[in-house]
Amino acid sequence: MKIGILGVGHIGKTLVRTLSEAGHEVKVANSRGPETIPSEVLASGGRAVTAEKAVKDADAIILSIPLNRIPGIAPLLATVPEDTVVIDTSNYYPMRDEKIAEIEEGKVESVWVSEQLGRPIVKAWNAIGSDSFARKGKPAGSAGRIAIPVAAGRDRDREVGLALVEDSGLDAVYSGTIAESWRQQPGAPGYCTDLTRDEMADALAKAEKARLPKRRDLVVAVIQERVGDATTNPDADFGVRLNRAICM
């Protein structure tokens, strides 16, 4: 497939590598220009381009940018055909980014994203820590392969989202429509807990929407006490143990 990726942060750079290695034609852009994208990000075959070129003639577009920057790219995606699959990897952390009243009042994060963009989306790769994604991917069929949830409404969106997750070294588990994607938001049992396919299905079923914000904030408070701020990530194993202890 022809894939455009916006963002080369912790998740974005691993997407460039894994999807290029899987044989996809990957274009990648950031907010500072293609000349600023490190060569190591492109070592597996990704091509650095402008944001406008990244979304042009793409079969799928992956947004690997902070959730609060989503409204700013809506004009860019307005030029993209309706049948292009758009995948969002972001999460809402009010203490890190900014408070969004509608989400604070209970709107599902991905519903808000879809409304900002004015188009259907897929939610994927938001529920795995960046270090786990970079280090723990395995070929399909491997024992103990990590699974992540994928939410989508349209049939093609769902099919493409599930297939690309599998190509990135992870098992894909369908979590429902975008309206149900709260089951994979921060604070949920399936969020950053490095579960297998069978375990993930059970975790999605056990998620309780009303408890997610408090659990999310508890995890952040413990991390802040450990590392001293709201932006530094803890080591991967600690993060997984913490999310399992608080959210499962």
Side-chain angles (χ1 to χ4, degrees):
M1 297 183 69
K2 295 179 180 179
I3 301 172
I5 299 177
L6 299 183
V8 287
H10 296 305
I11 295 295
K13 64 184 180 182
T14 300
L15 285 169
V16 176
R17 173 177 61 82
T18 56
L19 295 179
S20 295
E21 290 174 347
H24 298 288
E25 182 182 325
V26 178
K27 297 180 292 183
V28 59
N30 64 7
S31 60
R32 299 181 304 280
E35 68 281 356
T36 67
I37 296 177
S39 58
E40 59 266 25
V41 173
L42 310 172
S44 297
R47 183 161 57 96
V49 297
T50 63
E52 290 75 16
K53 289 182 178 179
V55 303
K56 186 177 181 180
D57 298 325
D59 300 309
I61 297 168
I62 303 174
L63 310 179
S64 190
I65 62 177
L67 183 140
N68 64 356
R69 286 178 51 201
I70 292 289
I73 64 162
L76 179 66
L77 293 186
T79 65
V80 173
E82 185 179 346
D83 61 353
T84 302
V85 177
V86 175
I87 306 174
D88 172 45
T89 73
S90 69
N91 292 297
Y92 176 61
Y93 278 97
M95 64 292 295
R96 180 192 63 189
D97 303 315
E98 60 187 33
K99 285 193 174 184
I100 297 171
E102 291 173 283
I103 298 178
E104 289 288 318
E105 292 165 5
K107 179 166 287 187
V108 176
E109 294 173 19
S110 296
V111 170
W112 183 87
V113 169
S114 181
E115 290 174 351
Q116 302 308 303
L117 298 177
R119 62 182 302 133
I121 63 166
V122 180
K123 187 73 165 187
W125 291 294
N126 74 299
I128 185 167
S130 57
D131 192 69
S132 289
F133 186 27
R135 295 190 300 111
K136 298 180 181 180
K138 295 181 179 181
S142 299
R145 195 184 199 213
I146 292 174
I148 62 168
V150 177
R154 302 186 302 187
D155 290 345
R156 174 162 170 76
D157 287 347
R158 181 176 66 252
E159 293 165 4
V160 170
L162 292 170
L164 291 181
V165 165
E166 294 280 345
D167 285 349
S168 73
L170 307 168
D171 280 344
V173 177
Y174 181 58
S175 61
T177 66
I178 288 299
E180 299 173 274
S181 63
W182 57 266
R183 295 182 182 276
Q184 65 197 75
Q185 288 180 186
Y191 179 81
C192 292
T193 44
D194 287 7
L195 305 178
T196 64
R197 185 188 298 274
D198 290 342
E199 292 169 335
M200 179 58 69
D202 184 59
L204 290 169
K206 290 181 176 178
E208 300 174 74
K209 188 172 185 288
R211 303 179 75 174
L212 301 187
K214 182 175 287 188
R215 289 179 171 184
R216 174 201 66 202
D217 294 348
L218 280 171
V219 171
V220 171
V222 173
I223 291 173
Q224 285 181 305
E225 192 280 330
R226 183 182 180 91
V227 303
D229 61 63
T231 58
T232 302
N233 290 326
D235 67 82
D237 292 335
F238 174 77
V240 170
R241 292 197 308 271
L242 179 61
N243 276 290
R244 287 184 175 185
I246 292 177
C247 303
M248 293 185 71

